[in-house]
Amino acid sequence: MIHGLDITVALGHTEPVPLDRMRLVLGADTQRSVDYFGVDLDGIALRATDLDFRHGEGEVLSGAAQDLLLVLCGRILPPGRLHGASAARFTSG
């Protein structure tokens, strides 16, 4: 799913991943992904806007669950897909 999102986001496609699939992926050990990819999320609370998903404590960074999955995996997203004061840290441009 992650590599598929890498491709579709790069191509500008916006079709959402089915939420039942997102629940499975995000229901796995999220902290393990953060540790594996070396993403610095200190002081950031991820909050999905389309699914009951929360990770971390601090300043809220919100967006679609699939976009937050990419953040957890260390990907940089196009502008406008994330919301919150720290969104620029995880987006290009």
Side-chain angles (χ1 to χ4, degrees):
M1 180 181 301
I2 295 163
H3 295 300
L5 285 170
D6 286 339
I7 294 166
T8 58
V9 168
L11 292 173
H13 296 281
T14 58
E15 295 81 20
V17 172
L19 292 179
D20 59 328
R21 293 181 189 167
M22 286 306 308
R23 279 186 195 91
L24 289 173
V25 174
L26 290 172
D29 186 355
T30 302
Q31 188 57 49
R32 185 173 179 218
S33 295
V34 171
D35 294 343
Y36 180 81
F37 289 103
V39 181
D40 179 12
L41 293 176
D42 288 341
I44 295 177
L46 300 179
R47 301 292 182 261
T49 55
D50 56 350
L51 183 67
D52 184 20
F53 172 75
R54 298 169 179 267
H55 175 77
E57 298 292 329
E59 184 177 282
V60 174
L61 177 66
S62 63
Q66 65 190 46
D67 291 335
L68 296 181
L69 174 62
L70 291 175
V71 168
L72 288 166
C73 295
R75 300 330 196 253
I76 299 297
L77 291 146
R81 294 181 73 140
L82 300 171
H83 308 283
S86 60
R89 237 175 89 186
F90 304 98
T91 58
S92 60

